[in-house]
Amino acid sequence: MEVHHHPHLASGGEKKKFKEYFLEFLMIFLAVTLGFFAESLREYITENKHAKEYAREMVSDLTSDTTDLKIYIKYTRYAANNIDTLLQLMSSDEPQKIPSGKLYWYGLFGGAHGHFVPHDATIHQMESSGSLRYFTNDSLNRNVAQYEQLCRSWERLEDVDVGIYTEVRKARAKIFEFKYNEAANDIYQANKTSLNEPAIDSFIQSNPPLLTYNKTLFNEYIEMIRSRFLLYQIGDADTLLFHAITLIDQLKKDYNLKDE
């Protein structure tokens, strides 16, 4: 008796084998896909954590900047106002006709030099390591870049002013005797948080002697003071302060640092 093979049985076996392959493929695909999403989520969580840490550090740096800038602005504005008074005095009369105490007091501030150095360690670290990419807000990145650019511009202008400042001090030393300058400076330093007007008035009325009344030397000193453009420096400091405060607010908002 002949044995007949039934083709339909063979085809049924092939279908079963295809399903097994398909299921294996599907399981591998799902595993890879889930692994990819899990890795992406892990990276997102890690980068967001790093971003918050950097944001916290940057807020700390910027807070120090705002404190220092406010001190700088207050001091430099006071110095600029006193310089304006000196210019008015020199414009209205000859040096020998002006009480020497006034010349010493107001002349002292021609050599004023406020000091502000940006606390930019976090920005530099993020730039060098490529970590700025952790900040995914384009507006925040632009503001960080703008603040960093303002800081670099400030440092360049500061370098220029330091050179002029040194020459101003040399010119001042030709007119005003050191010990009386030091006495005037001691009065300012002792009372700079809340100026002691009686102490200032007492010094002005003491009329300490000058080294010279030479008009040419006075003119040289005045012109060098004018070349420092302290009001422009105050304007630049005001701009930096505004951007620092804006950046602090944005970082706190983006990374929920309000209560930290």
Side-chain angles (χ1 to χ4, degrees):
M1 189 174 190
E2 295 182 2
V3 178
H4 297 282
H5 296 283
H6 299 282
H8 67 278
L9 293 175
S11 63
E14 289 176 0
K15 286 183 179 179
K16 184 177 180 181
K17 191 174 183 181
F18 172 78
K19 288 180 180 179
E20 290 176 354
Y21 281 127
F22 178 75
L23 287 173
E24 288 178 4
F25 166 78
L26 185 60
M27 291 176 67
I28 293 171
F29 175 79
L30 289 174
V32 171
T33 302
L34 289 174
F36 171 78
F37 282 121
E39 181 64 19
S40 296
L41 180 61
R42 186 189 67 80
E43 288 183 3
Y44 171 79
I45 293 172
T46 300
E47 290 186 0
N48 192 60
K49 180 181 178 182
H50 288 324
K52 189 167 185 176
E53 290 171 354
Y54 278 123
R56 186 181 293 109
E57 292 172 6
M58 196 175 290
V59 165
S60 177
D61 289 348
L62 290 166
T63 300
S64 296
D65 279 358
T66 60
T67 299
D68 292 350
L69 280 165
K70 288 174 183 177
I71 294 172
Y72 174 89
I73 291 168
K74 180 180 179 181
Y75 170 68
T76 308
R77 183 168 284 128
Y78 182 79
N81 289 337
N82 279 287
I83 289 170
D84 283 345
T85 302
L86 176 66
L87 297 179
Q88 293 171 13
L89 287 171
M90 295 300 299
S91 298
S92 63
D93 220 332
E94 298 296 319
Q96 59 269 29
K97 295 181 180 179
I98 302 170
S100 64
K102 287 186 176 182
L103 292 175
Y104 264 103
W105 178 256
Y106 297 114
L108 172 72
F109 295 94
H113 184 67
H115 196 57
F116 169 68
V117 178
H119 297 77
D120 50 9
T122 302
I123 292 179
H124 283 319
Q125 182 182 355
M126 293 186 73
E127 286 180 334
S128 62
S129 64
S131 301
L132 281 171
R133 63 187 173 83
Y134 295 153
F135 290 166
T136 56
N137 185 330
D138 290 339
S139 173
L140 175 60
N141 277 321
R142 284 194 299 271
N143 286 336
V144 170
Q146 187 174 19
Y147 187 75
E148 196 273 342
Q149 186 178 21
L150 287 170
C151 287
R152 299 294 78 74
S153 176
W154 173 272
E155 289 174 345
R156 288 192 294 270
L157 292 174
E158 177 74 4
D159 288 341
V160 172
D161 185 62
V162 167
I164 299 173
Y165 161 75
T166 301
E167 295 304 315
V168 167
R169 295 289 291 262
K170 291 179 181 178
R172 190 178 68 181
K174 296 176 183 177
I175 301 170
F176 301 101
E177 191 169 345
F178 167 76
K179 64 180 180 180
Y180 299 114
N181 264 341
E182 191 70 7
N185 188 57
D186 287 345
I187 292 172
Y188 172 76
Q189 293 296 332
N191 302 280
K192 60 184 177 182
T193 54
S194 179
L195 289 175
N196 186 336
E197 297 297 339
I200 296 172
D201 291 340
S202 177
F203 176 82
I204 287 175
Q205 294 170 11
S206 67
N207 288 326
L210 297 171
L211 294 177
T212 181
Y213 283 99
N214 185 288
K215 191 172 182 179
T216 300
L217 292 179
F218 266 100
N219 190 68
E220 178 184 346
Y221 183 49
I222 295 298
E223 287 300 325
M224 294 189 74
I225 292 172
R226 281 158 51 91
S227 68
R228 297 188 64 195
F229 300 109
L230 291 185
L231 291 178
Y232 289 144
Q233 294 178 35
I234 294 171
D236 289 343
D238 278 330
T239 300
L240 268 172
L241 179 60
F242 172 79
H243 280 277
I245 292 173
T246 300
L247 199 48
I248 287 172
D249 291 341
Q250 190 171 15
L251 286 163
K252 286 185 174 181
K253 180 181 178 181
D254 285 3
Y255 293 98
N256 195 27
L257 302 174
K258 293 181 180 180
D259 298 325
E260 297 187 19

